[in-house]
Amino acid sequence: MTTDEPRAQRIPPVSRRGLLGLAGAGAATILLGGCTPATRDPAADNPPATPDRCVSRGSLDEHGTLAKLPLVYEISQERASFAFDGGFHTQLGDWLGGYRERSGLTAPDQVWTYGAYVAGGSDCSSWHAAGRAFDLARLRLRGGDFVSCRYDRWRSTTGAERQRAQRRYWALAASLHLDFAYVLTYLYNATHANHIHIDNGRSGRGRSTLSTSSPSQLQAVQAICTHLWDDPVEVTGRWDSPTRRATKRVLAQIGHGGDLDDSVDAWRAFLTASVPRGAEAG
Ligand SMILES: [Zn+2]
């Protein structure tokens, strides 16, 4: 399996005026993403972007909001705008709207991110270089963390605090997996310990379907069974017997029945029922 290859980058100097100039022509352009520029994907999991899909920043629109919520750059902790492929930005907004409806939690008021578009340069294998990838760091509410993808921060917590963070994280991931076939969490590799990567390289304009050869989807399935359904399954990233049995139990519990790989309905039923379970702790 080819893995993501994080590259350390220095944060470019960004003026406060630029960051705050969202309403006018001086909208800031932020260059960094959390897992960029080389989000290379396993062939069985996600097709890589190709040079003909990579675009220039100037061809994309800048967005300072997502589903009307302000975007905040995780590193500067200030509002900023980011370049997105228009269709992908709309899909993300639809996801956030769906999450707010399903989560059972008060709606967040800010979206914190490491970014979306990053110039591909000579290596155009990342969907970030097509403006079709997003690195989600946190959803915030009234100045506090609401759902944190900063596993690097909450992994050292214990007890109820840890359980709450974990359940909210995996409920958020479940909602993302509903709408996008390629979602990378901290289970994928260390690069994703501070954000969840989402792109529509595999699912395009459609919604997600399950591939039983997708490690990233199966890692999420296993974590969702473990943390949201209290049915511990070893995280192998494989469609193995314990995972089949655990997901069958969940589908029976929610009245759907059958196996997770029976149909796209089973996949969506499993994820849809998982999202509100993030609200049950804390
Ligand atoms: Zn990413």
Side-chain angles (χ1 to χ4, degrees), residues 248-268:
K248 194 176 184 69
R249 286 191 291 270
V250 171
L251 287 170
Q253 188 176 333
I254 64 176
H256 190 281
D259 293 298
L260 189 64
D261 62 342
D262 279 349
S263 66
V264 70
D265 282 351
W267 171 237
R268 290 186 182 156

Side-chain angles (χ1 to χ4, degrees), residues 137-152:
R138 296 186 253 186
L139 298 179
R140 305 257 296 176
L141 177 64
R142 293 191 289 271
D145 282 356
F146 175 74
V147 186
S148 175
C149 305
R150 295 294 307 268
Y151 173 69
D152 59 328

Side-chain angles (χ1 to χ4, degrees), residues 9-14 28-34 36-37 57 62 73 75 80-83 114-119 128 135:
Q9 292 193 10
R10 289 181 59 79
I11 304 165
V14 179
T29 297
I30 303 301
L31 299 174
L32 293 182
T36 57
R57 176 180 302 279
E62 300 267 340
Y73 187 38
I75 292 175
S81 63
F82 301 87
Y114 284 99
Y117 174 81
V118 177
H128 281 287
D135 291 336

Side-chain angles (χ1 to χ4, degrees), residues 82-187:
F82 301 87
F84 289 87
D85 168 83
F88 179 64
H89 183 264
T90 299
Q91 284 179 307
L92 276 176
D94 290 346
W95 156 74
L96 185 54
Y99 172 77
R100 285 190 291 206
E101 287 176 16
R102 294 187 186 105
S103 71
L105 297 164
T106 309
D109 58 22
Q110 288 183 335
V111 178
W112 287 37
T113 177
Y114 284 99
Y117 174 81
V118 177
S122 59
D123 178 5
C124 274
S125 61
S126 168
W127 288 103
H128 281 287
R132 291 170 52 182
F134 184 64
D135 291 336
L136 177 60
R138 296 186 253 186
L139 298 179
R140 305 257 296 176
L141 177 64
R142 293 191 289 271
D145 282 356
F146 175 74
V147 186
S148 175
C149 305
R150 295 294 307 268
Y151 173 69
D152 59 328
R153 292 192 168 185
W154 59 256
R155 68 179 156 197
S156 60
T157 61
T158 57
E161 185 181 2
R162 166 71 182 242
Q163 190 183 39
R164 177 176 178 271
Q166 202 151 248
R167 290 185 77 100
R168 290 192 176 197
Y169 179 96
W170 285 109
L172 181 77
S175 75
L176 288 164
H177 275 283
L178 264 173
D179 284 354
F180 299 95
Y182 201 62
V183 177
L184 300 181
T185 68
Y186 67 81
L187 291 177

Side-chain angles (χ1 to χ4, degrees), residues 35 39 128 135 195 197:
C35 59
T39 299
H128 281 287
D135 291 336
H195 70 281
H197 167 99

